[in-house]
Amino acid sequence: MKKLIHVALIILVSVSLSCKNKTQETKAPEVVTEAKNDIERVEPPNWWIGFNNNQFQLLVKHPNISDAELSINYQGVSIEKVHKADSPNYLFVDLAIAESAKAGQFNINFKFKDGKQLTQTYELKDRERDATDFQGFDSSDVIYLITPDRFANGDTSNDIYLDASSINENGEQVSLLKEATINRQDDYGRHGGDIKGIIQHLDYIQDMGFTQIWSSPLLINDMPESSYHGYAMTDFYRVDPRFGTLKEYEELSTKAKEKGMGIIMDQVANHCGSEHWWMQDLPFKDWVNQQANFENNKPLNNSNHRRTSNQDLYAAMRDKKEMAEGWFVSAMPDLNQRNPFMANYIIQNSIWWIETLNLSGIRQDTYPYPDKTFMANWAGAIMNEYPNFNIVGEEWSYNPLLIAYWQDGNKNKDGYKSNLKSTMDFAMQRHIVDALNEEEKWDTGLVKMYEGLANDFAYTSPKDIMIFPDNHDMSRIFTQLKGDIPNTKMALSYLLMLPRTPQLYYGTEILMNDFEKPGDHGLIRTDFPGGWQGDTVNAFTGEGLTDDQKDMQNYLKKVLNYRKTSAAIHDGKTIHFAPFLGTYFLFRVVEGETVVHIINKNDEPITIDLKRYEEVGLNGKTLKNIITGETFVWQDDIQLKERGSLLLTTKL
């Protein structure tokens, strides 16, 4: 027995020494002296050390890459698993990053059975800022929404993108993109606005009082028509060269931050453009919804757009399926987020852009359309890495219950937890328009605002919900309010006083409209005057604007700049009183500051007894008119001389 134990110990020691020697004989980490790019596509194009999640997944695209064996020799980086796709031209590679890993370049080697070897140099970067420094937008902000093609053309050289390699048979340089024309007379054509145009007018945006900029998507839409809007992306990692470069996008974020403004990126998890590079060779059989029909040229069904099927206790499975798997439109293939590789791809893409651009937020398009379990995981993965970040999801619903469903913390009957901080208040937007357009009666007019705001009891955090007068998909507020300037001022000042996070669309400040063709998207997204050389009207300088336009611009500038530093509006208690004699009083109150917002729909002067509002505690206090600077002592009554809104503050 002793002899057997002795033999066993010898074997154990021998094996241990053998393993130790094998470890010691491992090759020294490879040093990259020259970057190599043998592989057609590797995404994400780089990654970072220091994330909470120490694993990430590479999409590798190259002819017959599935035949290759992979190796990496870099301290702290290991290949966890290599996944083959249905197409032989893809691999999905799980990499783990140890705490010991340092930033730097390393080679990924691909060795084929025939002895051929390809090398792709990859880079891990140091994170330039702490995760907690990514401060998301909130109720202290006002967001300026821009359609970049229509805002300002700061670089005419990129209007029709000419790549250095794009030479035709006649030796002429031509555009490689499918839509290679500029026509400002075509509402659905490209007009030439770009990132440099936004950069050049950051001072204007800042001076107006905005603190965040949300631009419609700036990623490439290499589509044959209507590519200007940006929502049919054909490469999720490439800036559209007609808008500019990645470097310019980074410059926009940096310079905006220097001026106290953040950048919100418009992203799309639901769909891509039909000309996306992967549509010619899809990795898996279920990469997009209805893929078999697409690949066999069979009819495709668009979404039924029945968004309530996400919550409906009685919804038929057919309706749920048609909502989730139908394409948004025929030119926008519906991504299948139930495929785990697609899910990883979208999550990593969002994180890559946050980290690259130092974003302060994401606006997620068509939020209820993708798989809702995935959307919760997507938002959760982002918030796990960036605890102070913010995401707003587009839920175009006039039902407050549906808006509430998507906000994180809502006690949903089905147990759904969204991880989404902000949703969009289409319900309140409609109430504001109806309240101002309708005649004052018991159940019409201002009562729509009053009762609409009363719905806040349904929301987990009303101040984190985004309110707006209009956006890039709906008629301009001036059009919705039938060209009535006092009503437009009332709408804008009211929503800027609410416990909400406000967003205004570019041009609202100069009464841009779509009267000629109400609701027409191309017209709604009209060029901002002064953004193009030779414009006879320049809204940036005021040259050529009408008196009404100048007045509205000045009005909004005063309200926005007051709001910037108003603790009462950002976080104060809200008190409002039921409409009375065609007026509606709302108060925002915090210690040391009370803001009063009065809407008056009467055409003739009216005197209102202020004892009705005594519970607010303003009696005997001096208030200042935020617009005119005039002072007023709050005593027995107030005379409202004209229809419109009145904004008062105790901050003198």
Side-chain angles (χ1 to χ4, degrees):
M1 183 70 180
K2 288 182 179 179
K3 186 175 181 181
L4 287 173
I5 292 172
H6 181 68
V7 171
L9 285 171
I10 291 172
I11 293 171
L12 181 60
V13 171
S14 299
V15 170
S16 299
L17 287 172
S18 174
C19 290
K20 185 176 180 181
N21 290 337
K22 187 176 180 181
T23 301
Q24 289 174 340
E25 290 170 4
T26 300
K27 293 179 182 178
E30 183 179 2
V31 177
V32 175
T33 56
E34 181 182 353
K36 294 185 178 180
N37 294 287
D38 295 341
I39 301 300
E40 179 183 316
R41 186 180 294 270
V42 175
E43 292 178 342
N46 68 271
W47 204 243
W48 294 265
I49 59 174
F51 282 127
N52 291 331
N53 182 358
N54 68 349
Q55 295 196 4
F56 70 108
Q57 187 174 83
L58 295 178
L59 177 155
V60 180
K61 169 77 162 62
H62 195 83
N64 298 312
I65 197 66
S66 63
D67 292 339
E69 291 187 0
L70 277 67
S71 64
I72 292 173
N73 184 19
Y74 188 75
Q75 181 67 39
V77 177
S78 59
I79 298 174
E80 295 295 293
K81 191 170 183 180
V82 177
H83 308 266
K84 292 187 178 183
D86 294 325
S87 166
N89 304 319
Y90 289 88
L91 287 175
F92 290 81
V93 184
D94 297 340
L95 297 182
I97 307 173
E99 286 188 17
S100 61
K102 304 294 184 185
Q105 291 185 327
F106 59 90
N107 286 332
I108 307 173
N109 299 303
F110 300 82
K111 188 174 183 179
F112 293 81
K113 294 175 183 177
D114 62 2
K116 179 182 177 183
Q117 181 167 309
L118 299 176
T119 300
Q120 183 69 29
T121 302
Y122 199 77
E123 184 177 11
L124 286 179
K125 296 182 177 182
D126 280 316
R127 300 183 69 183
E128 294 183 2
R129 55 197 68 84
D130 189 81
T132 57
D133 291 339
F134 290 80
Q135 187 63 48
F137 63 89
D138 57 31
S139 59
S140 69
D141 290 304
V142 180
I143 300 160
Y144 196 53
L145 168 58
I146 292 171
T147 297
D149 183 65
R150 308 297 169 84
F151 185 64
N153 190 346
D155 182 4
T156 57
S157 71
N158 64 20
D159 289 356
I160 301 174
Y161 175 64
L162 298 174
D163 188 90
S165 63
S166 51
I167 306 296
N168 65 15
E169 61 275 13
N170 299 321
E172 300 167 329
Q173 196 173 28
V174 295
S175 177
L176 294 177
L177 302 181
K178 295 175 179 64
E179 188 172 18
T181 57
I182 290 290
N183 183 0
R184 292 182 67 195
Q185 306 309 310
D186 180 358
D187 288 343
Y188 289 86
R190 296 194 75 96
H191 292 194
D194 49 34
I195 296 171
K196 277 192 176 178
I198 302 174
I199 292 172
Q200 290 169 2
H201 295 101
L202 286 175
D203 284 341
Y204 169 81
I205 298 170
Q206 179 194 37
D207 290 345
M208 279 297 301
F210 295 101
T211 56
Q212 298 282 342
I213 299 170
W214 155 24
S215 167
S216 296
L218 289 161
L219 302 189
I220 188 166
N221 277 229
D222 192 11
M223 300 290 286
E225 59 184 12
S226 296
S227 65
Y228 77 94
H229 60 67
Y231 290 96
M233 298 169 194
T234 54
D235 188 331
F236 287 106
Y237 281 100
R238 185 185 178 195
V239 175
D240 195 310
R242 293 163 294 193
F243 287 140
T245 64
L246 175 58
K247 185 177 179 181
E248 288 170 347
Y249 206 165
E250 292 173 318
E251 181 187 356
L252 169 62
S253 179
T254 299
K255 289 189 173 179
K257 285 283 192 297
E258 290 171 356
K259 296 180 183 297
M261 298 184 290
I263 296 294
I264 299 168
M265 187 177 188
D266 206 334
Q267 296 189 352
V268 185
N270 182 65
H271 54 262
C272 63
S274 56
E275 298 294 335
H276 192 287
W277 60 263
W278 60 39
M279 294 305 293
Q280 302 302 314
D281 180 13
L282 292 159
F284 292 94
K285 294 176 182 177
D286 62 349
W287 194 247
V288 299
N289 291 315
Q290 304 182 69
Q291 186 165 321
N293 283 8
F294 167 75
E295 292 179 328
N296 293 298
N297 294 315
K298 291 184 178 179
L300 293 160
N301 297 318
N302 285 349
S303 173
N304 62 13
H305 301 288
R306 298 303 178 190
R307 298 183 297 278
T308 54
S309 63
N310 281 299
Q311 299 87 7
D312 188 351
L313 299 177
Y314 317 117
M317 288 306 299
R318 174 176 180 143
D319 289 340
K320 287 176 175 284
K321 186 179 178 69
E322 289 179 357
M323 166 62 194
E325 298 182 15
W327 289 23
F328 195 75
V329 295
S330 59
M332 295 177 176
D334 203 64
L335 304 180
N336 178 22
Q337 303 86 14
R338 295 178 298 281
N339 179 303
F341 301 98
M342 172 64 81
N344 278 336
Y345 184 92
I346 296 171
I347 290 169
Q348 290 179 170
N349 180 258
S350 293
I351 290 173
W352 191 88
W353 282 110
I354 295 169
E355 198 73 20
T356 298
L357 296 176
N358 188 16
L359 297 175
S360 60
I362 290 173
R363 180 264 186 183
Q364 183 60 249
D365 188 55
T366 55
Y367 204 85
Y369 286 82
D371 180 77
K372 73 178 188 180
T373 300
F374 163 76
M375 292 310 295
N377 293 337
W378 170 82
I382 291 171
M383 298 308 293
N384 177 53
E385 298 294 351
Y386 306 96
N388 298 327
F389 197 67
N390 201 356
I391 305 167
V392 59
E394 181 200 26
E395 162 59 289
W396 193 320
S397 173
Y398 300 112
N399 183 343
L401 295 178
L402 298 183
I403 297 169
Y405 179 89
W406 294 106
Q407 191 174 30
D408 189 40
N410 198 60
K411 295 180 180 179
N412 293 316
K413 207 168 186 178
D414 61 2
Y416 184 73
K417 177 177 169 56
S418 71
N419 298 307
L420 180 71
K421 188 174 180 180
S422 180
T423 51
M424 288 186 169
D425 203 349
F426 283 89
M428 196 64 202
Q429 190 277 338
R430 173 175 277 187
H431 288 314
I432 292 171
V433 172
D434 288 346
L436 294 169
N437 278 336
E438 292 175 353
E439 184 181 349
E440 284 301 301
K441 293 182 180 178
W442 171 254
D443 58 353
T444 62
L446 292 173
V447 70
K448 295 286 184 70
M449 281 183 180
Y450 176 72
E451 293 186 348
L453 191 59
N455 287 325
D456 278 15
F457 75 88
Y459 300 136
T460 302
S461 179
K463 71 176 187 177
D464 290 319
I465 295 173
M466 185 178 289
I467 185 65
F468 47 91
D470 56 24
N471 61 28
H472 57 297
D473 288 328
M474 61 197 315
S475 269
R476 293 276 183 170
I477 186 61
F478 192 47
T479 301
Q480 292 185 55
L481 293 174
K482 304 173 184 178
D484 189 304
I485 292 175
N487 278 356
T488 303
K489 286 183 176 180
M490 285 189 271
L492 295 173
S493 58
Y494 177 69
L495 68 85
L496 288 167
M497 295 299 121
L498 292 179
R500 291 290 191 278
T501 303
Q503 164 254 299
L504 300 183
Y505 194 28
Y506 80 99
T508 299
E509 68 270 32
I510 55 166
L511 301 172
M512 281 173 61
N513 63 77
D514 53 306
F515 290 124
E516 188 179 334
K517 291 182 286 183
D520 182 83
H521 284 184
L523 184 58
I524 290 165
R525 304 160 185 173
T526 299
D527 292 350
F528 192 77
W532 280 255
Q533 189 173 1
D535 284 358
T536 56
V537 177
N538 190 333
F540 297 114
T541 64
E543 183 181 356
L545 292 179
T546 66
D547 289 342
D548 286 341
Q549 289 176 312
K550 289 178 181 177
D551 177 65
M552 179 59 81
Q553 195 176 45
N554 186 57
Y555 178 82
L556 265 180
K557 186 174 182 178
K558 288 183 176 180
V559 177
L560 291 172
N561 278 288
Y562 179 84
R563 192 188 190 282
K564 248 185 202 181
T565 59
S566 173
I569 299 174
H570 298 169
D571 295 301
K573 178 182 178 181
T574 304
I575 306 169
H576 69 155
F577 291 76
F580 177 69
L581 299 177
T583 68
Y584 173 34
F585 283 60
L586 178 140
F587 302 81
R588 302 299 309 280
V589 183
V590 75
E591 186 177 353
E593 180 192 11
T594 298
V595 176
V596 185
H597 185 268
I598 304 171
I599 286 178
N600 174 31
K601 287 180 70 177
N602 295 284
D603 290 316
E604 300 297 325
I606 186 172
T607 299
I608 300 295
D609 186 349
L610 294 181
K611 294 185 184 68
R612 190 169 186 270
Y613 312 100
E614 63 183 358
E615 68 184 76
V616 182
L618 289 177
N619 191 44
K621 292 187 177 180
T622 300
L623 288 84
K624 183 176 71 174
N625 186 312
I626 291 172
I627 305 301
T628 66
E630 297 172 336
T631 57
F632 165 78
V633 179
W634 191 277
Q635 291 180 322
D636 296 333
D637 56 46
I638 186 171
Q639 187 177 45
L640 304 175
K641 297 179 180 179
E642 58 186 10
R643 184 167 61 94
S645 58
L646 182 62
L647 290 89
L648 304 172
T649 176
T650 56
K651 278 172 57 176
L652 302 178

